[in-house]
Coordinates of all heavy atoms in Angstrom, one line a residue:
W72 N 152.0 -71.4 102.4 CA 151.1 -71.6 103.5 C 151.5 -72.7 104.4 O 151.4 -72.5 105.6 CB 149.7 -71.8 102.9 CG 148.5 -71.7 103.8 CD1 147.9 -70.6 104.1 CD2 148.0 -72.8 104.5 NE1 146.9 -70.9 105.1 CE2 146.9 -72.2 105.3 CE3 148.2 -74.2 104.6 CZ2 146.2 -73.0 106.2 CZ3 147.5 -75.0 105.5 CH2 146.4 -74.3 106.2
W73 N 151.8 -73.9 103.9 CA 152.1 -74.9 104.7 C 153.4 -74.6 105.5 O 153.5 -74.9 106.7 CB 152.4 -76.3 103.9 CG 151.0 -76.8 103.5 CD1 150.5 -76.8 102.3 CD2 150.1 -77.4 104.4 NE1 149.2 -77.4 102.3 CE2 149.0 -77.7 103.5 CE3 150.0 -77.6 105.7 CZ2 147.8 -78.3 104.0 CZ3 148.8 -78.2 106.2 CH2 147.7 -78.6 105.4
D74 N 154.4 -74.0 104.9 CA 155.6 -73.6 105.7 C 155.3 -72.7 106.8 O 155.9 -72.9 107.9 CB 156.7 -73.1 104.7 CG 157.9 -72.7 105.5 OD1 158.6 -73.6 106.0 OD2 158.2 -71.5 105.5
A75 N 154.4 -71.8 106.5 CA 154.1 -70.8 107.6 C 153.4 -71.5 108.8 O 153.4 -70.9 109.9 CB 153.2 -69.7 107.1
R76 N 152.9 -72.7 108.5 CA 152.2 -73.4 109.6 C 153.2 -74.5 110.1 O 152.7 -75.4 110.8 CB 151.0 -74.0 109.1 CG 149.9 -73.0 109.3 CD 148.9 -72.9 108.1 NE 148.0 -71.7 108.2 CZ 148.3 -70.6 107.9 NH1 149.5 -70.2 107.5 NH2 147.4 -69.6 108.1
G77 N 154.4 -74.4 109.8 CA 155.4 -75.3 110.4 C 155.6 -76.6 109.6 O 156.2 -77.5 110.1
D78 N 155.1 -76.7 108.4 CA 155.2 -78.0 107.7 C 156.0 -77.7 106.5 O 155.5 -77.7 105.3 CB 153.9 -78.6 107.3 CG 153.9 -80.0 106.9 OD1 155.1 -80.5 106.5 OD2 152.8 -80.7 106.9
W79 N 157.4 -77.6 106.6 CA 158.4 -77.3 105.6 C 158.2 -78.4 104.5 O 158.2 -78.2 103.4 CB 159.7 -77.2 106.0 CG 160.8 -76.8 105.1 CD1 161.2 -75.5 104.8 CD2 161.5 -77.7 104.1 NE1 162.1 -75.6 103.8 CE2 162.3 -76.9 103.4 CE3 161.4 -79.1 103.9 CZ2 163.1 -77.4 102.4 CZ3 162.2 -79.6 102.9 CH2 163.1 -78.8 102.2
A80 N 158.3 -79.7 104.9 CA 158.3 -80.8 104.0 C 157.1 -80.8 103.1 O 157.2 -81.1 101.9 CB 158.3 -82.1 104.8
R81 N 155.9 -80.6 103.6 CA 154.7 -80.5 102.7 C 154.8 -79.3 101.8 O 154.4 -79.5 100.6 CB 153.4 -80.4 103.6 CG 152.2 -80.6 102.9 CD 151.0 -80.9 103.7 NE 149.8 -81.2 102.9 CZ 148.7 -81.5 103.6 NH1 148.6 -81.5 104.9 NH2 147.6 -81.8 102.8
A82 N 155.3 -78.2 102.3 CA 155.4 -77.1 101.3 C 156.4 -77.4 100.2 O 156.1 -77.2 99.0 CB 155.9 -75.8 102.0
H83 N 157.5 -78.1 100.5 CA 158.5 -78.5 99.5 C 157.9 -79.5 98.5 O 158.1 -79.4 97.4 CB 159.7 -78.9 100.2 CG 160.8 -79.2 99.3 ND1 161.3 -80.5 98.9 CD2 161.6 -78.4 98.6 CE1 162.3 -80.3 98.1 NE2 162.5 -79.1 97.9
T84 N 157.2 -80.5 99.1 CA 156.6 -81.5 98.2 C 155.6 -80.9 97.1 O 155.7 -81.2 96.0 CB 155.8 -82.5 99.0 OG1 156.8 -83.2 99.8 CG2 155.1 -83.5 98.1
I85 N 154.8 -79.9 97.6 CA 153.9 -79.2 96.7 C 154.7 -78.4 95.7 O 154.4 -78.4 94.5 CB 152.9 -78.4 97.5 CG1 152.0 -79.2 98.3 CG2 152.1 -77.3 96.5 CD1 151.2 -78.5 99.4
V86 N 155.7 -77.6 96.1 CA 156.3 -76.7 95.2 C 157.2 -77.5 94.2 O 157.4 -77.0 93.1 CB 157.1 -75.6 95.9 CG1 158.5 -76.1 96.5 CG2 157.3 -74.4 95.1
M87 N 157.6 -78.6 94.5 CA 158.4 -79.4 93.5 C 157.6 -79.8 92.3 O 158.1 -80.0 91.2 CB 158.9 -80.8 94.2 CG 160.1 -80.5 95.2 SD 161.0 -82.0 95.7 CE 159.7 -83.2 95.9
G88 N 156.2 -79.9 92.5 CA 155.4 -80.2 91.3 C 154.8 -79.0 90.6 O 154.1 -79.1 89.7
A89 N 155.2 -77.8 91.0 CA 154.7 -76.5 90.4 C 155.7 -75.9 89.5 O 156.9 -76.2 89.5 CB 154.4 -75.5 91.6
E90 N 155.2 -75.2 88.5 CA 156.1 -74.5 87.5 C 155.9 -73.0 87.6 O 154.9 -72.5 88.1 CB 155.7 -75.0 86.2 CG 155.9 -76.4 85.9 CD 155.6 -76.9 84.6 OE1 155.3 -76.1 83.7 OE2 155.6 -78.2 84.3
G91 N 156.8 -72.3 87.0 CA 156.7 -70.8 86.9 C 157.6 -70.1 87.9 O 158.2 -70.7 88.8
A92 N 157.8 -68.9 87.6 CA 158.7 -68.0 88.4 C 158.3 -67.9 89.9 O 159.2 -67.9 90.7 CB 158.9 -66.6 87.8
G93 N 157.0 -67.9 90.1 CA 156.5 -67.8 91.5 C 156.8 -69.0 92.3 O 157.3 -69.0 93.4
A94 N 156.6 -70.1 91.6 CA 157.0 -71.5 92.3 C 158.5 -71.6 92.5 O 158.9 -72.1 93.6 CB 156.5 -72.6 91.4
A95 N 159.2 -71.1 91.5 CA 160.7 -71.1 91.7 C 161.1 -70.3 92.9 O 162.1 -70.6 93.7 CB 161.4 -70.7 90.5
W96 N 160.4 -69.1 93.1 CA 160.8 -68.2 94.2 C 160.5 -68.9 95.5 O 161.3 -68.8 96.5 CB 160.0 -66.9 94.0 CG 160.3 -65.8 94.9 CD1 161.4 -65.7 95.9 CD2 159.7 -64.6 95.2 NE1 161.4 -64.6 96.5 CE2 160.3 -63.9 96.1 CE3 158.4 -64.1 94.7 CZ2 159.8 -62.6 96.6 CZ3 158.0 -62.9 95.0 CH2 158.7 -62.1 96.0
V97 N 159.3 -69.5 95.6 CA 158.9 -70.3 96.8 C 159.9 -71.3 97.0 O 160.4 -71.5 98.3 CB 157.5 -70.8 96.7 CG1 157.2 -71.7 98.0 CG2 156.4 -69.7 96.6
H98 N 160.3 -72.1 96.1 CA 161.2 -73.2 96.2 C 162.6 -72.6 96.7 O 163.2 -73.2 97.6 CB 161.4 -73.9 94.8 CG 161.8 -75.3 94.9 ND1 161.5 -76.2 94.0 CD2 162.6 -75.9 95.8 CE1 162.0 -77.3 94.3 NE2 162.7 -77.2 95.4
A99 N 163.1 -71.5 96.2 CA 164.2 -70.9 96.7 C 164.2 -70.5 98.1 O 165.2 -70.8 98.9 CB 164.5 -69.6 95.8
Y100 N 163.1 -69.8 98.4 CA 162.9 -69.4 99.9 C 163.0 -70.7 100.8 O 163.6 -70.6 101.8 CB 161.5 -68.7 100.0 CG 161.0 -68.7 101.5 CD1 161.5 -67.7 102.3 CD2 160.2 -69.6 101.9 CE1 161.0 -67.7 103.6 CE2 159.7 -69.6 103.3 CZ 160.1 -68.7 104.1 OH 159.8 -68.6 105.4
L101 N 162.3 -71.8 100.4 CA 162.3 -73.0 101.3 C 163.7 -73.5 101.5 O 164.1 -73.9 102.5 CB 161.4 -74.0 100.6 CG 159.9 -73.7 100.8 CD1 159.2 -74.8 100.0 CD2 159.4 -73.7 102.2
H102 N 164.5 -73.6 100.4 CA 165.9 -74.0 100.5 C 166.8 -73.0 101.3 O 167.7 -73.4 102.1 CB 166.5 -74.4 99.2 CG 165.9 -75.7 98.7 ND1 166.3 -76.9 99.3 CD2 165.1 -76.0 97.6 CE1 165.7 -77.8 98.6 NE2 165.0 -77.3 97.7
R103 N 166.5 -71.7 101.1 CA 167.3 -70.8 102.0 C 166.9 -70.9 103.5 O 167.8 -71.0 104.3 CB 166.8 -69.4 101.6 CG 167.5 -68.2 102.3 CD 167.2 -66.9 101.7 NE 167.7 -65.9 102.7 CZ 166.9 -64.9 103.2 NH1 165.7 -64.7 102.8 NH2 167.4 -64.0 104.0
K104 N 165.7 -71.2 103.8 CA 165.2 -71.4 105.1 C 165.8 -72.7 105.7 O 166.3 -72.7 106.9 CB 163.7 -71.6 105.2 CG 163.1 -71.7 106.6 CD 161.7 -71.7 106.7 CE 161.2 -71.7 108.1 NZ 159.8 -71.6 108.2
E105 N 166.0 -73.7 104.8 CA 166.6 -74.9 105.2 C 168.0 -74.8 105.5 O 168.7 -75.7 106.2 CB 166.4 -76.0 104.1 CG 167.0 -77.3 104.2 CD 166.9 -78.2 103.0 OE1 167.0 -77.6 101.9 OE2 166.8 -79.4 103.1
G106 N 168.7 -73.8 105.0 CA 170.2 -73.5 105.1 C 170.9 -74.0 103.9 O 172.2 -74.0 103.9
D107 N 170.3 -74.5 102.8 CA 170.9 -75.0 101.6 C 171.0 -73.9 100.7 O 170.3 -73.7 99.7 CB 170.1 -76.2 101.0 CG 170.8 -76.8 99.9 OD1 171.8 -76.3 99.4 OD2 170.3 -77.9 99.5
R108 N 172.1 -73.0 100.8 CA 172.2 -71.8 100.0 C 172.5 -72.1 98.6 O 172.1 -71.4 97.7 CB 173.2 -70.8 100.7 CG 172.7 -70.3 102.0 CD 173.6 -69.3 102.6 NE 173.9 -68.1 101.8 CZ 173.2 -67.1 101.9 NH1 172.2 -67.0 102.6 NH2 173.5 -66.0 101.1
A109 N 173.2 -73.2 98.3 CA 173.6 -73.5 97.0 C 172.4 -73.9 96.1 O 172.1 -73.4 95.0 CB 174.6 -74.7 96.9
N110 N 171.5 -74.7 96.7 CA 170.3 -75.1 96.1 C 169.3 -73.9 96.0 O 168.7 -73.7 95.0 CB 169.6 -76.3 96.8 CG 168.6 -77.0 95.9 OD1 168.4 -76.7 94.9 ND2 168.1 -78.1 96.6
A111 N 169.3 -73.1 97.0 CA 168.5 -71.9 97.0 C 168.9 -71.0 95.8 O 168.1 -70.4 95.1 CB 168.5 -71.2 98.3
G112 N 170.2 -70.8 95.7 CA 170.7 -70.1 94.6 C 170.3 -70.5 93.2 O 169.9 -69.7 92.4
Y113 N 170.2 -71.8 93.0 CA 169.7 -72.3 91.8 C 168.3 -71.9 91.5 O 167.9 -71.3 90.5 CB 169.8 -73.8 91.7 CG 169.0 -74.4 90.6 CD1 169.6 -74.5 89.4 CD2 167.7 -74.9 90.7 CE1 168.9 -75.2 88.3 CE2 167.0 -75.4 89.6 CZ 167.7 -75.5 88.5 OH 166.9 -76.1 87.5
W114 N 167.5 -72.0 92.6 CA 166.0 -71.6 92.4 C 165.8 -70.1 92.3 O 164.9 -69.7 91.6 CB 165.2 -72.3 93.5 CG 165.1 -73.8 93.3 CD1 165.7 -74.7 94.0 CD2 164.3 -74.4 92.3 NE1 165.5 -76.0 93.4 CE2 164.6 -75.8 92.4 CE3 163.5 -73.9 91.3 CZ2 164.0 -76.7 91.6 CZ3 162.9 -74.9 90.5 CH2 163.2 -76.3 90.6
Y115 N 166.7 -69.3 93.0 CA 166.5 -67.8 92.8 C 166.8 -67.5 91.4 O 166.2 -66.7 90.7 CB 167.4 -67.1 93.8 CG 166.9 -67.0 95.2 CD1 167.6 -67.6 96.2 CD2 165.8 -66.2 95.4 CE1 167.1 -67.5 97.5 CE2 165.3 -66.2 96.7 CZ 165.9 -66.8 97.8 OH 165.4 -66.8 99.1
R116 N 167.8 -68.1 90.8 CA 168.2 -67.8 89.4 C 167.0 -68.3 88.5 O 166.6 -67.5 87.5 CB 169.4 -68.6 89.0 CG 170.8 -67.8 89.6 CD 172.1 -68.4 89.1 NE 172.2 -69.9 89.4 CZ 172.6 -70.3 90.5 NH1 173.0 -69.5 91.6 NH2 172.8 -71.6 90.7
A117 N 166.4 -69.4 88.8 CA 165.3 -69.9 88.0 C 164.0 -68.9 88.1 O 163.3 -68.8 87.2 CB 164.9 -71.3 88.5
A118 N 164.0 -68.3 89.3 CA 162.9 -67.3 89.5 C 163.2 -65.9 88.9 O 162.4 -65.0 88.9 CB 162.6 -67.2 91.0
G119 N 164.5 -65.7 88.4 CA 164.9 -64.4 88.0 C 165.2 -63.4 89.1 O 165.0 -62.3 88.9
R120 N 165.6 -63.9 90.2 CA 165.8 -63.1 91.4 C 167.2 -63.4 92.0 O 167.8 -64.3 91.7 CB 164.7 -63.4 92.5 CG 163.3 -63.1 92.0 CD 162.3 -63.4 93.1 NE 161.0 -62.8 92.8 CZ 160.6 -61.6 92.9 NH1 161.4 -60.7 93.5 NH2 159.5 -61.3 92.5
T121 N 167.6 -62.4 92.9 CA 168.8 -62.7 93.5 C 168.5 -63.0 95.0 O 167.4 -62.7 95.5 CB 169.7 -61.4 93.6 OG1 168.9 -60.4 94.2 CG2 170.1 -61.0 92.2
M122 N 169.3 -63.7 95.6 CA 169.1 -64.2 97.0 C 169.1 -62.9 97.9 O 170.1 -62.2 97.9 CB 170.1 -65.2 97.5 CG 169.8 -65.9 98.8 SD 171.0 -67.1 99.3 CE 171.2 -68.2 97.9
P123 N 168.0 -62.8 98.6 CA 168.0 -61.6 99.5 C 168.9 -61.7 100.7 O 169.2 -62.8 101.1 CB 166.5 -61.5 100.0 CG 166.0 -62.9 99.8 CD 166.8 -63.5 98.8
E124 N 169.2 -60.6 101.3 CA 170.1 -60.6 102.5 C 169.2 -60.3 103.8 O 169.7 -60.5 104.8 CB 171.1 -59.5 102.4 CG 172.2 -59.7 101.2 CD 173.0 -61.0 101.4 OE1 173.3 -61.4 102.6 OE2 173.3 -61.7 100.4
G125 N 168.0 -60.0 103.5 CA 167.1 -59.7 104.6 C 166.6 -61.0 105.4 O 167.0 -62.1 105.0
S126 N 165.7 -60.7 106.3 CA 165.2 -61.9 107.1 C 164.3 -62.8 106.2 O 163.7 -62.4 105.2 CB 164.4 -61.3 108.3 OG 163.1 -60.9 107.8
L127 N 164.2 -64.1 106.7 CA 163.2 -64.9 106.1 C 161.8 -64.4 106.3 O 161.0 -64.6 105.3 CB 163.4 -66.4 106.7 CG 164.7 -67.1 106.3 CD1 164.9 -68.2 107.3 CD2 164.7 -67.5 104.9
D128 N 161.5 -63.9 107.4 CA 160.2 -63.4 107.6 C 159.8 -62.2 106.6 O 158.7 -62.2 106.0 CB 160.0 -62.8 109.0 CG 159.9 -63.8 110.1 OD1 159.7 -65.0 109.7 OD2 160.2 -63.5 111.3
A129 N 160.7 -61.4 106.3 CA 160.5 -60.3 105.3 C 160.3 -60.9 104.0 O 159.5 -60.4 103.1 CB 161.6 -59.4 105.3
E130 N 161.1 -61.9 103.6 CA 160.9 -62.5 102.3 C 159.6 -63.2 102.3 O 158.9 -63.1 101.2 CB 162.1 -63.5 102.0 CG 162.0 -64.1 100.5 CD 163.1 -65.0 100.2 OE1 163.8 -65.4 101.0 OE2 163.1 -65.2 99.0
W131 N 159.2 -63.9 103.3 CA 157.8 -64.6 103.2 C 156.8 -63.6 103.0 O 155.9 -63.9 102.2 CB 157.7 -65.4 104.6 CG 156.5 -66.3 104.6 CD1 156.4 -67.6 104.2 CD2 155.1 -65.9 104.9 NE1 155.1 -68.0 104.3 CE2 154.2 -67.0 104.7 CE3 154.5 -64.7 105.4 CZ2 152.9 -67.0 105.0 CZ3 153.2 -64.6 105.7 CH2 152.4 -65.7 105.4
E132 N 156.9 -62.5 103.7 CA 155.8 -61.4 103.5 C 155.8 -60.9 102.0 O 154.8 -60.8 101.4 CB 156.1 -60.3 104.4 CG 155.8 -60.6 105.9 CD 154.3 -60.8 106.2 OE1 153.4 -60.2 105.5 OE2 154.1 -61.5 107.2
A133 N 157.0 -60.7 101.4 CA 157.1 -60.3 100.0 C 156.5 -61.4 99.1 O 155.8 -61.0 98.1 CB 158.5 -60.0 99.7
I134 N 156.9 -62.7 99.3 CA 156.3 -63.7 98.5 C 154.8 -63.7 98.6 O 154.1 -63.8 97.5 CB 156.9 -65.1 98.8 CG1 158.4 -65.1 98.5 CG2 156.2 -66.2 98.2 CD1 159.1 -66.2 99.1
A135 N 154.3 -63.7 99.8 CA 152.8 -63.8 100.0 C 152.2 -62.6 99.3 O 151.2 -62.8 98.6 CB 152.5 -63.8 101.5
A136 N 152.7 -61.4 99.4 CA 152.1 -60.2 98.8 C 152.1 -60.3 97.3 O 151.1 -60.0 96.6 CB 152.8 -59.0 99.4
A137 N 153.2 -60.8 96.8 CA 153.3 -60.9 95.3 C 152.4 -62.0 94.8 O 151.8 -61.6 93.8 CB 154.8 -61.1 94.9
L138 N 152.3 -63.1 95.4 CA 151.6 -64.1 94.8 C 150.1 -64.0 95.1 O 149.3 -64.5 94.3 CB 152.0 -65.5 95.4 CG 153.5 -65.9 95.0 CD1 153.8 -67.2 95.5 CD2 153.6 -65.8 93.4
L139 N 149.7 -63.2 96.1 CA 148.3 -63.0 96.4 C 147.8 -61.7 95.8 O 146.6 -61.3 96.0 CB 148.1 -62.9 97.9 CG 148.3 -64.3 98.6 CD1 148.2 -64.2 100.1 CD2 147.4 -65.4 98.1
G140 N 148.7 -61.0 95.1 CA 148.4 -59.8 94.4 C 148.1 -58.6 95.3 O 147.2 -57.7 94.9
R141 N 148.8 -58.5 96.4 CA 148.6 -57.4 97.3 C 149.4 -56.3 97.0 O 150.5 -56.3 96.6 CB 148.8 -57.9 98.8 CG 147.9 -58.8 99.3 CD 148.1 -59.2 100.7 NE 147.2 -60.2 101.1 CZ 147.4 -60.9 102.2 NH1 148.3 -60.7 103.0 NH2 146.5 -61.9 102.4

């Protein structure tokens, strides 16, 4: 939510304190958006996912749908 409103740092601070596959996926997305693909790769593996090749917008939509149960 915070990242979607332009506050990447706040989103990252929150997700650093969270646990679980969903949090790892968000963490991965944030590092991918930042351009840190190596760190993103770590978090995608922690989430049990592969790094997508699609757009960041498409991934954000997928994350929101999955975590909000849509």
Side-chain angles (χ1 to χ4, degrees):
W72 190 89
W73 286 109
D74 179 63
R76 277 137 187 81
D78 197 341
W79 184 97
R81 190 165 185 180
H83 187 253
T84 297
I85 291 168
V86 81
M87 285 190 327
E90 296 181 9
W96 187 12
V97 172
H98 207 150
Y100 162 84
L101 289 171
H102 282 293
R103 179 175 170 235
K104 183 174 184 177
E105 177 190 35
D107 186 349
R108 292 181 63 85
N110 202 353
Y113 169 85
W114 288 105
Y115 282 113
R116 288 187 298 279
R120 297 182 169 272
T121 58
M122 191 178 311
E124 296 298 323
S126 73
L127 289 166
D128 288 340
E130 184 177 14
W131 187 90
E132 291 290 334
I134 291 169
L138 297 182
L139 296 175
R141 292 185 188 167

